[in-house]
Amino acid sequence: QVQLVESGGGLVQPGGSLRLSCAASGSIFSIYAMGWYRQAPGKQRELVAAITSGGSANYAEFVKGRFTISRDNAKNTVYLQMNSLKPEDTAVYYCNAALGVESGPADYWGQGTQVTVSS
């Protein structure tokens, strides 16, 4: 049973910072890529940032210069450091991982963690 467990969400004031973590566990043969998506009320889920197993990262334009994605391959964990947070960053943030498992390549999602930016 593969699981993605997220942590680190919460309430923060505009201009503040949060760090999200997502750990993958279970019968995992390989991790191709991991990333973060977000979904605000009434909006579609959108990509925030992603990182490959080799460390190559890409970001949505709206977070460039403010968010940093990183990963610890030994811990099967991906992080999202969020700085200079804005009210419009408020959303549920979901971890995503493209994994190699016994049945072949598969896509997994975490349960989501709420990030609220408000004064």
Side-chain angles (χ1 to χ4, degrees):
Q1 183 89 6
V2 174
Q3 277 191 312
L4 300 182
V5 179
E6 301 145 339
S7 61
L11 172 65
V12 64
Q13 292 187 339
S17 298
L18 282 175
R19 189 190 194 212
L20 305 183
S21 300
C22 172
S25 63
S27 299
I28 301 170
F29 293 169
S30 56
I31 299 179
Y32 305 121
M34 298 184 79
W36 292 93
Y37 288 70
R38 71 185 188 186
Q39 187 167 19
K43 295 188 176 182
Q44 289 190 331
R45 191 173 297 190
E46 59 186 357
L47 174 68
V48 176
I51 187 166
T52 67
S53 58
S56 178
N58 66 285
Y59 298 90
E61 283 296 325
F62 52 78
V63 302
K64 280 185 178 179
R66 300 189 298 125
F67 292 9
T68 302
I69 190 170
S70 61
R71 61 189 287 172
D72 184 334
N73 290 335
K75 296 181 179 180
N76 289 347
T77 298
V78 64
Y79 306 96
L80 186 68
Q81 178 66 43
M82 305 186 293
N83 299 327
S84 303
L85 283 160
K86 305 175 182 180
E88 51 264 44
D89 294 317
T90 295
V92 178
Y93 283 70
Y94 295 92
C95 177
N96 172 264
L99 306 177
V101 297
E102 186 172 355
S103 57
D107 209 41
Y108 289 86
W109 291 91
Q111 79 282 1
T113 185
Q114 178 70 46
V115 171
T116 302
V117 185
S118 175
S119 55

